[in-house]
Structure formats: structure tokens, C-alpha cells
Amino acid sequence: MSQEMDVGIRTRCQKPVGLSQEKAKFCYYSGRYYCQTCHQDSLFIIPARLLHNWDTNRYKVSKQAKEFLEFVYEEPLLDVKQLNPCLYQHCEALATVLTLRQRLQSLRAYLFSCRAAIAEDLRRRMFPREYLLQHIHLYSVADLQQVIDGKLAPFLLKVIKFASSHVYSCSLCSEKGFICELCQNSQVIYPFQESASKRCESCGAVFHAECWQRGQPCPRCVRRELHQKPASFWSQLDADDSPNNSALGYFEMGN
């Protein structure tokens, strides 16, 4: 056996491990080898494996990795839209949570424009995870663990029930509904009624889900497009033909 093999690998604590030394243990988080003192077979979810493969298994990690993962466990550091937006298509539970967070984000706009006490009540119910209201793609490892366990969706539904009940019963919030411009039905609809309404991603107008699925163009977007178009040639010509136009002076007879 060569001298290099005999010395083996030096771990982070500089203790030699290898074939002729103490058995080395692999950390699935850092990708490094550790001695048995620095690695005690603690099990933890690996964030990268969870985000990229929805691998919910727990892997052996070193003591140092375990301490770090526990430290950031409840920190909202993982943006699914940036890191792996396709995950929503492959994980039904996560897609369901996204829909609930979109509804909650719409409700937040209502409650935060109402009385201060109502907004504070919503904050209290979400504390310390107000980011679930504001940044719908942001998660902590703890949040994703709750998605796996089926606990995050019921929590969000409970908050949605409170917030939507307030909107329906509040004289101020209930007046901020929408009328579907596609069917002109006088029934007031709200953007957080996910099964009954759909929101235009371009302008924010709200329509009945059935009306929106017919593929008609958004009336508000059409109006905006018409207003943004430059004046046509004939409109400009009409303006030039105005009696007040200074160009007519060229055709005036001199004294």
C-alpha cells in the first residue's frame, strides 16, 4: 500500500480517515468526508434534492451541516420560481399551495386597505411567516416540509376563510369587487374566488371563469391598446385642416 493511501483522507477537523485509518463518513449536504466524531449519521432533508427532484428522503449529514440546516430551517431562502419553476407542474401538492397563496395575496390587498386593526389581525395570523402573503414563490425548508406533510394547505385555507369572510361582510371591502365585462352580469365577483373567477394577467381585470375560458379578448386591454395607438394618417390630416393651422397662411392673399 502506498504512503498516500496509508495516510488516507484528512477531514475538516484534520483527523486522518481512510482504508488504514478510521472509517470515513460521507455528508450528502457538503459532499465531503468526515470522521465519526464530526459525523454521527444525523438525517436531514437536502434542500437542493428537494427543489430539483422533489426528493423528500432524509440523508446522512455531518454535525456541521446539521447545525447549519437547522439554523436556516425556518428562513425563507428558497424561491421556487427562480430555482425550479417546473416543480409546480410535477408536484400537485406544491401547485395547490401556490393557488392558495395567490388567493391569499389577493385578499391581502383588501384587508391591508381596510382598517388598521383588520390588517394587524391578518399579520398576527400569519406571524412569523408574512412572506407567505407577499412573495408567493418564497419558501423555507420548514414550509416545504409542511407541504410534504400536507399541513401547509390547511393552514392557508384557514386564513383564507377568515379573510374572505371579512371581505364579504365589510361595507368597505365588499364594494371593491368587479363586474364581468364579458357577460355584463351585475353579480359582483372577487379575484380570490379562484373557482369562479379569473384575472387578466396583463391588466388585473376580473371575469367569470366560464366567460374567460371562451377565449374572448379582455375588454380593458383592448381599450388600453386603442388609447395607446398613435393617431392615424386621416386623423392627423383632419387636425392639419383646422382653420387655426398656421399652414393656411401660405394661401392668404397679400394686401
Side-chain angles (χ1 to χ4, degrees), residues 140-240:
S140 66
V141 177
D143 296 327
L144 294 176
Q145 181 64 62
Q146 285 198 332
V147 174
I148 296 168
D149 297 337
K151 295 180 179 179
L152 187 55
F155 167 74
L156 295 175
L157 280 169
K158 186 176 180 180
V159 180
I160 288 172
K161 183 178 180 180
F162 153 75
S164 57
S165 296
H166 167 78
V167 172
Y168 293 139
S169 60
C170 175
S171 58
L172 180 63
C173 294
S174 60
E175 293 296 324
K176 298 176 182 177
F178 292 79
I179 299 296
C180 178
E181 292 189 62
L182 294 175
C183 67
Q184 298 298 326
N185 191 306
S186 59
Q187 178 189 10
V188 179
I189 53 178
Y190 299 91
F192 55 83
Q193 296 171 321
E194 187 62 29
S195 59
S197 65
K198 288 293 180 182
R199 190 163 206 160
C200 175
E201 295 182 0
S202 299
C203 69
V206 180
F207 308 93
H208 290 115
E210 293 182 0
C211 298
W212 186 252
Q213 290 173 358
R214 294 170 187 164
Q216 300 180 50
C218 171
R220 181 185 289 182
C221 289
V222 171
R223 290 196 299 271
R224 284 185 174 182
E225 186 177 353
L226 290 174
H227 286 312
Q228 291 173 359
K229 280 187 176 181
S232 66
F233 169 78
W234 294 108
S235 299
Q236 187 64 40
L237 187 62
D238 290 340
D240 292 340

